Amino acid sequence: MKTVNEVSKLAGVSIRTLQYYDKIGLLRPTEYTEAGYRLYDDTALERLHQILLFRELEFPLKDIKEIVSRSDFDKKKALDQQIKLLELKKEHIEDLLTMCRDLKKRGVKKLSFTAFDSSKIEEYSRMAKEQWGKTPAYKEFEEKSKNRTKEDEKNLMGELMKLFEEFGSIKEKEPSSKEAQAMVKKLQDFITENMYTCTKEILSGLGKWYVSGGEVTDNIENAGGAGTAEFAYQAIMAYCGVASK
């Protein structure tokens, strides 16, 4: 058992915060001492860890309480998302460090602001929230995919990658061209039919995700060739009437 003071120091959370978590039923102490002091066992510490993971993803406390209390709460999925988020934050910090070192070395003659772009982190957080928050789109996805086998999922992913092959075959054209816009509509229809109703708002979010780096961008580039992810993103933004970054 650990006292509230020990947990505060261990987790880097104030005692007042722990008291508040207790008050709203988010994190109850395991028991109290005769003097009324809070005590926490390993199970309580694990729950605190989960709470802090979701705080990193910027979830409201009321949503965290509902998520970690579910009988189907997937701890591994939550941890995988936290690892990915930290990797994105690490990459963002490294870009900022590189920019500052370059600025120190070369001065302000060539200023670049790309290192300040945190859109990858924001987009990943948004998608994570969609999954845990049980949005209508995610509920629809769960319903459509519940009876699919691993082989079905593999085939579906193959079909999706074929669409990016098609994007790659026309990537020399303007993103706003008739051909590119027709491809975006084809992608939107595919997602709506097989995953969830793909509104323009959702589609623009996916477009940003496609160029966020990592596995998703690599898969698109492998399917359609270098530059396909950026071309698809630009075409999607033109289709949705959203200014690209």
Side-chain angles (χ1 to χ4, degrees):
M1 291 282 189
K2 293 189 182 297
T3 66
V4 68
N5 188 51
E6 290 172 328
V7 173
S8 173
K9 291 178 179 178
L10 178 68
V13 176
S14 71
I15 292 175
R16 181 172 293 182
T17 296
L18 292 170
Q19 291 170 340
Y20 181 67
Y21 287 175
D22 182 11
K23 180 180 178 181
I24 64 174
L26 179 59
L27 179 67
R28 300 287 193 193
T30 307
E31 60 183 64
Y32 293 87
T33 66
E34 291 183 3
Y37 293 108
R38 295 171 174 82
L39 294 174
Y40 299 83
D41 63 7
D42 289 343
T43 301
L45 290 177
E46 182 182 23
R47 185 178 174 99
L48 175 59
H49 190 264
Q50 292 158 1
I51 291 167
L52 296 179
L53 293 184
F54 283 106
R55 288 299 288 158
E56 283 292 321
L57 288 167
E58 299 181 354
F59 275 78
L61 291 178
K62 63 181 181 64
D63 291 348
I64 297 174
K65 181 180 177 181
E66 192 272 329
I67 291 167
V68 299
S69 299
R70 289 178 192 163
S71 59
D72 62 346
F73 175 57
D74 189 336
K75 297 176 185 176
K76 182 181 181 299
K77 175 180 168 184
L79 189 57
D80 285 343
Q81 287 181 336
Q82 178 64 7
I83 290 170
K84 176 63 178 177
L85 184 67
L86 288 172
E87 287 174 344
L88 289 173
K89 288 184 176 181
K90 178 185 176 185
E91 178 184 332
H92 182 60
I93 290 171
E94 286 175 345
D95 287 344
L96 287 171
L97 280 170
T98 299
M99 179 201 70
C100 290
R101 286 169 180 153
D102 192 53
L103 187 61
K104 183 179 179 180
K105 183 178 179 180
R106 302 185 184 185
V108 296
K109 292 180 181 178
K110 270 194 172 183
L111 282 178
S112 171
F113 292 88
T114 56
F116 293 105
D117 185 4
S118 60
S119 59
K120 290 183 185 180
I121 297 171
E122 292 166 2
E123 185 59 22
Y124 187 80
S125 294
R126 184 192 68 78
M127 295 192 71
K129 287 178 183 179
E130 279 191 1
Q131 294 181 33
W132 290 110
K134 300 291 184 181
T135 61
Y138 191 71
K139 288 179 181 177
E140 187 180 352
F141 172 75
E142 285 187 322
E143 182 63 28
K144 287 185 176 181
S145 62
K146 66 181 180 181
N147 294 320
R148 287 186 192 139
T149 64
K150 288 186 178 179
E151 188 64 25
D152 291 334
E153 294 291 347
K154 182 179 178 181
N155 291 336
L156 188 65
M157 182 56 65
E159 291 176 37
L160 179 60
M161 287 302 108
K162 284 180 182 178
L163 294 180
F164 287 112
E165 283 182 37
E166 294 184 53
F167 269 109
S169 70
I170 61 169
K171 64 176 182 267
E172 299 306 320
K173 296 182 178 294
E174 287 295 321
S176 58
S177 68
K178 183 172 68 175
E179 295 88 347
Q181 294 301 289
M183 271 308 307
V184 176
K185 180 64 167 61
K186 190 173 180 179
L187 174 65
Q188 184 184 35
D189 291 344
F190 178 85
I191 294 170
T192 295
E193 180 181 352
N194 295 285
M195 300 173 190
Y196 41 75
T197 303
C198 188
T199 63
K200 285 189 175 181
E201 181 182 3
I202 290 175
L203 186 60
S204 64
L206 289 172
K208 294 174 185 176
W209 185 43
Y210 294 156
V211 289
S212 65
E215 187 177 358
V216 64
T217 304
D218 290 343
N219 287 339
I220 293 171
E221 302 282 90
N222 288 336
T228 300
E230 179 64 25
F231 175 74
Y233 162 69
Q234 295 288 348
I236 289 169
M237 293 302 106
Y239 181 87
C240 296
V242 178
S244 58
K245 293 183 179 181

